[in-house]
Amino acid sequence: MVFHRPIPTKFKVKTGTVIKEADGWYISLTLEDKRVPVTVAEIQPTVENTIGIDLGVTNYVYLSSGKRVENPRFLRKSAQKLARLQAKLANRVKGSKPWKVIKDKISKLHQFVARARLDFQFKTAHELFGKCDVLVVEDLSVKNLTRRAKPKTGIENGNLVYLPNSQSAKSGLNKSILDAAHGQFASVLKYVAWKLGKTVLFVDPKGTSQHCWNCLKKVPKELSERWHCCQCGESLERDKNSAKLIKKIGLSYESGGGTPSLKKAFEKKEKEACGLTVLR
């Protein structure tokens, strides 16, 4: 066995998981050392030490400070090569040597995409935590975001018919969401936050794209509308508005108070209006 790194002294090997990958066999070891602290840092978010981020498919990450990280789209960039290999595979006799060779190439391409994506997520997480102590992120449900569009029905000549429901466009969006792998990115953020002794705060995503960050009033927008305009005078990119609102929701967080949400941000605003501002 070739060790990726030596086992540290006084660490005890607890489990070993054998994994078959496209490029060979691996064994993943779980180590334990009771001297290592397992506590998670809880840092109270403030305006200075906190950054809110909006996750998307055009911009992978949009920061409340106005900076952005472009979406690398690893699967999209490899789609043509993958399609060519799959077409060749379909023309080979299943189980033959040429079939196995092409199948191995497809597996290694998928492995490259997955590893490139994970490497990008770790580098992005370290870059983000280098700018703040508390990172506020939407608690997205990828499963709900990638559901099929609901069927639309109507009556035509007395018969029940199915109407266009934009499922083809939804399928393309679903593929982009899965390519971005925001669920995996959330796990990476949790690990990096623990490793660096910092805090990642997940907030309820409900309403974060439909309300103004400044006055919290609802400003309805379709998905195609990429600019936010409010009666209070705020005019900025939709993603930037969402990132600033996510940060504002995160600032309403109090230890033991549950998941921060837009409702709690409204409650904090009302308290501040009554002169009940808590200094931090």
Side-chain angles (χ1 to χ4, degrees), residues 166-205:
S166 304
Q167 176 55 39
S168 58
K170 184 70 168 62
S171 298
L173 178 61
N174 290 352
K175 185 175 182 180
S176 296
I177 293 173
L178 294 172
D179 187 15
H182 290 136
Q184 179 178 270
F185 186 51
S187 300
V188 170
L189 289 175
K190 289 179 184 178
Y191 172 75
V192 174
W194 170 81
K195 182 180 177 182
L196 300 178
K198 299 193 177 184
T199 298
V200 57
L201 191 60
F202 292 94
V203 304
D204 187 350

Side-chain angles (χ1 to χ4, degrees), residues 224-250:
S224 58
E225 297 179 51
R226 308 312 302 172
W227 195 263
H228 169 82
C229 255
C230 183
Q231 293 179 353
C232 69
E234 284 296 317
S235 180
L236 67 167
E237 287 186 73
R238 174 184 177 141
D239 292 345
K240 185 176 181 180
N241 174 72
S242 296
K244 292 169 79 71
L245 179 55
I246 289 166
K247 177 181 177 178
K248 194 166 190 174
I249 294 173

Side-chain angles (χ1 to χ4, degrees), residues 53-67:
I53 62 172
D54 177 63
L55 302 176
V57 293
T58 303
N59 299 303
Y60 194 81
V61 170
Y62 205 122
L63 280 65
S64 56
S65 60
K67 296 183 179 180

Side-chain angles (χ1 to χ4, degrees), residues 48-105:
E48 292 76 19
N49 71 356
T50 304
I51 290 179
I53 62 172
D54 177 63
L55 302 176
V57 293
T58 303
N59 299 303
Y60 194 81
V61 170
Y62 205 122
L63 280 65
S64 56
S65 60
K67 296 183 179 180
R68 70 189 79 184
V69 178
E70 295 295 328
N71 188 357
R73 303 176 187 273
F74 292 108
L75 182 59
R76 291 283 187 183
K77 290 179 179 178
S78 301
Q80 290 185 354
K81 185 176 181 181
L82 183 61
R84 288 196 299 267
L85 288 173
Q86 288 174 332
K88 287 183 179 180
L89 184 69
N91 294 326
R92 300 295 187 271
V93 178
K94 188 174 181 179
S96 64
K97 187 174 180 180
W99 182 87
K100 291 179 181 178
V101 170
I102 298 175
K103 192 171 185 298
D104 287 342
K105 289 183 179 180

